[in-house]
Amino acid sequence: MLLKTAPHRVWPIQVGVPVYNDSRLGSFRLNIGLILYYWLAGTVPKNQGYRRHTRTDFSERFSYLDSTELKAGYTYFDAQTDDARFVLELIDGAQAIGAVCLNHCKVTGFVEHKGQLYGAEIQDNVSGETAMVYATQLVNCTGQWSADQKNKSHCVRLSKGVHLILPKTLGNEALLLTAKADGRVFFIIPWYGQTLLGSSASDYGGDIDHLAVEPEEVNYLLSEANRVLKTVNWTEQDVIGRYAGLSVLKPSANTSLYSSSRDWELITSDNGLLSSIGGRLTSAREDAACIVDALCKNLGVNKSCKTFDKSFPWLPLGDYQQWADTTLKKAVALGIDSESAHWLLRRHGNRVSGVFELIEQDAELAERILPELPFIAADLVFCAQHEMVVHLEDLLRRRLPLLILSKMTLVELQRLAEIAAKTLDWDDDIMTKECELCMQKWLIR
Ligand SMILES: Cc1cc2nc3c(=O)[nH]c(=O)nc-3n(C[C@H](O)[C@H](O)[C@H](O)COP(=O)(O)OP(=O)(O)OC[C@H]3O[C@@H](n4cnc5c(N)ncnc54)[C@H](O)[C@@H]3O)c2cc1C
């Protein structure tokens, strides 16, 4: 559904699955799994089916894989996105039809009357101002923070996952592999010209506001990748970026993390608070529709959600491929290198015309921000102007994932902060403070 409603935001990616002599998932089980996977996916374009490959065929296709114990292999299609932009685009679409969206603003408490919620207390984290918001229905969509015991909403199980960014290794395809150490699956995926490796998984009971990537998690991922990739021997020095996240799972004392349910659930507390628990990015549109339906029912509105399979707001009109071909040519004619142009279209969809306008006014903005990454200066300026940026980290980690995709130096960071400062009207003091915040969190490792 996402591939259809947001082809600029969610694109197909071919995944290779090697079958080794000692693979936990042998050919038989993989075959059954893929039949089920495709059956659940519904109609899939002909060229995006799955295939079994002989040992020779698979090792030729994935020549960087160690083929010593290889028996055969499979390829199938999955889909890829940029999660931060996925969310940002939906927020922009919601604002366009009248929603009020606040960032850097925290719910600090709820207001109840006779045991029923009727509002929330909010605090602007930038100005420190507080305010009250009143509503008949409140929905808690705070992901891992719904596990915060202070909120006492309910019990959940948290699984910590770590991803590493490493230099380019693959072509356009990804790999699904099984870790020798614990039998868990992990991926090696091309992302913005680099390689995304992950994730590790472990139960988490620590501070949810301060997640750290531990050395043993880095070692685990590197040694599992080195075991199957014959063209690299990655060490910690090769790690360009790293980040950790928490998945919200249903509590289950006896099951392993791997087999714990990732199903989404909407829970209603005694005071009327609805809480969205668990789920995946993949199914988020459908889960959101269920929330809207529940709200309508509670409010006595006889309507159901109409937007779950609605096109994403930045989807260009007409035939997407035709639009992409024409727009790519225009981008290259403006002086953008073809790799950056390719990603730019995905990043901005129909809003790319705004980025082009910036280059028409200043041709130098067609240059890359950092030589090794496919992002151009006009993209940075456009994001700073139009994408609710408050802090430098919003811009350099979220709107563009530069801080995890490069080993940025302090000088480079300051150069980018100067560009942001011009657009966001920061004085020298603010700029220095913003650089320090980014440095502490992302440059000192
Ligand atoms: C390592 C890892 C790998 C994953 N891989 C995949 C994958 O391959 N495919 C897939 O589909 N899904 C994947 N997921 C799952 C996916 O990321 C989550 O399902 C999704 O992010 C959950 O979205 P959410 O909106 O529920 O929560 P979140 O994304 O956690 O958003 C919660 C928001 O609430 C805000 N918030 C918290 N407290 C407050 C407060 N008091 N006041 C105001 N705001 C608050 C937070 O700032 C945050 O913005 C993965 C998750 C992890 C951790």
Side-chain angles (χ1 to χ4, degrees):
M1 189 266 278
L2 290 170
L3 288 164
K4 283 187 201 135
T5 57
H8 59 298
R9 177 66 47 237
V10 180
W11 53 90
I13 185 165
Q14 192 174 43
V15 185
V17 194
V19 181
Y20 290 104
N21 286 328
D22 61 350
S23 284
R24 190 171 60 88
L25 286 178
S27 290
F28 180 72
R29 285 174 70 188
L30 260 175
N31 212 28
I32 302 280
L34 286 169
I35 290 171
L36 268 173
Y37 173 90
Y38 273 85
W39 179 71
L40 287 169
T43 325
V44 174
K46 253 196 181 144
N47 58 353
Q48 287 175 23
Y50 77 94
R51 262 188 69 192
R52 184 181 191 278
H53 302 267
T54 61
R55 178 182 191 276
T56 318
D57 183 23
F58 197 80
S59 54
E60 273 170 17
R61 267 171 173 262
F62 298 91
S63 54
Y64 42 79
L65 267 185
D66 182 3
S67 56
T68 322
E69 296 285 314
L70 189 73
K71 262 183 18 186
Y74 283 82
T75 48
Y76 73 97
F77 276 83
D78 204 322
Q80 189 179 29
T81 189
D82 174 329
D83 50 358
R85 296 203 70 74
F86 184 108
V87 175
L88 187 78
E89 182 172 352
L90 293 176
I91 290 171
D92 186 60
Q95 290 195 125
I97 53 170
V100 176
C101 303
L102 306 175
N103 62 348
H104 293 283
C105 195
K106 186 175 181 176
V107 171
T108 50
F110 293 120
V111 225
E112 284 186 21
H113 180 64
K114 292 189 179 165
Q116 287 302 297
L117 281 186
Y118 70 96
E121 192 181 270
I122 59 168
Q123 179 166 38
D124 182 334
N125 280 348
V126 181
S127 67
E129 268 176 64
T130 57
M132 300 294 287
V133 178
Y134 298 100
T136 335
Q137 288 278 303
L138 282 98
V139 188
N140 174 3
C141 301
T142 56
Q144 71 202 54
W145 288 272
S146 53
D148 190 341
Q149 285 312 302
K150 288 192 292 287
N151 287 337
K152 290 198 182 62
S153 40
H154 28 255
C155 239
V156 294
R157 187 173 184 182
L158 293 176
S159 162
K160 180 184 176 193
V162 164
H163 281 103
L164 304 179
I165 305 284
L166 288 137
K168 181 178 167 75
T169 321
L170 317 174
N172 291 326
E173 68 289 318
L175 286 170
L176 168 63
L177 300 156
T178 308
K180 196 135 196 155
D182 55 8
R184 284 200 69 255
V185 294
F186 67 100
F187 287 88
I188 305 183
I189 310 174
W191 203 54
Y192 286 127
Q194 309 281 39
T195 305
L196 183 66
L197 167 64
S199 67
S200 63
S202 52
D203 263 313
Y204 189 74
D207 180 357
I208 53 175
D209 288 323
H210 300 99
L211 272 186
V213 176
E214 303 297 341
E216 55 273 21
E217 291 163 330
V218 175
N219 290 340
Y220 165 88
L221 288 171
L222 291 183
S223 66
E224 291 296 343
N226 286 337
R227 196 175 54 76
V228 287
L229 297 177
K230 66 178 180 198
T231 49
V232 297
N233 187 16
W234 283 325
T235 66
E236 225 200 304
Q237 300 302 315
D238 298 303
V239 177
I240 298 169
R242 61 195 78 194
Y243 59 94
L246 292 176
S247 293
V248 180
L249 313 179
K250 285 191 186 163
S252 46
N254 300 324
T255 46
S256 71
L257 201 55
Y258 192 48
S259 49
S260 264
S261 171
R262 276 145 175 84
D263 285 353
W264 174 81
E265 207 179 350
L266 187 65
I267 295 177
T268 308
S269 303
D270 291 343
N271 62 5
L273 178 69
L274 297 174
S275 294
S276 163
I277 303 293
R280 315 280 293 155
L281 204 62
T282 321
S283 51
R285 302 299 300 135
E286 197 165 6
D287 304 341
C290 289
I291 297 179
V292 172
D293 287 347
L295 289 176
C296 287
K297 197 172 159 218
N298 292 351
L299 294 169
V301 177
N302 191 18
K303 283 193 175 150
S304 59
C305 180
K306 302 256 181 299
T307 56
F308 101 92
D309 60 352
K310 193 178 158 154
S311 294
F312 271 39
W314 300 349
L315 176 70
L317 290 174
D319 181 76
Y320 178 71
Q321 200 46 56
Q322 212 172 356
W323 173 86
D325 294 344
T326 316
T327 314
L328 204 64
K329 279 189 197 135
K330 185 166 182 199
V332 173
L334 279 167
I336 307 173
D337 69 273
S338 59
E339 193 194 359
S340 299
H342 169 79
W343 286 108
L344 191 70
L345 265 52
R346 285 179 171 169
R347 288 176 44 72
H348 293 279
N350 62 18
R351 302 212 315 177
V352 79
S353 52
V355 182
F356 290 170
E357 275 168 30
L358 291 172
I359 300 171
E360 278 153 8
Q361 287 154 24
D362 178 357
E364 278 187 20
L365 293 178
E367 297 294 320
R368 285 186 174 210
I369 302 168
L370 298 166
E372 70 275 19
L373 292 178
F375 302 106
I376 58 163
D379 194 346
L380 187 83
V381 174
F382 185 85
C383 293
Q385 286 175 347
H386 301 283
E387 297 189 346
M388 296 174 83
V389 170
V390 176
H391 292 295
L392 189 59
E393 187 192 14
D394 297 341
L395 185 64
L396 303 185
R397 165 64 186 94
R398 308 274 172 208
R399 309 306 183 267
L400 299 121
L402 293 169
L403 286 166
I404 50 165
L405 286 171
S406 72
K407 280 188 176 177
M408 204 182 285
T409 63
L410 179 58
V411 175
E412 281 165 338
L413 181 73
Q414 282 164 336
R415 178 172 64 82
L416 303 188
E418 276 169 29
I419 301 175
K422 268 191 224 149
T423 311
L424 297 166
D425 212 13
W426 289 341
D427 60 23
D428 283 352
D429 284 351
I430 300 179
M431 207 175 79
T432 310
K433 218 173 105 205
E434 291 292 334
C435 281
E436 273 167 12
L437 283 173
C438 270
M439 230 174 71
Q440 280 162 13
K441 197 159 164 194
W442 297 102
L443 299 195
I444 301 170
R445 300 194 169 107

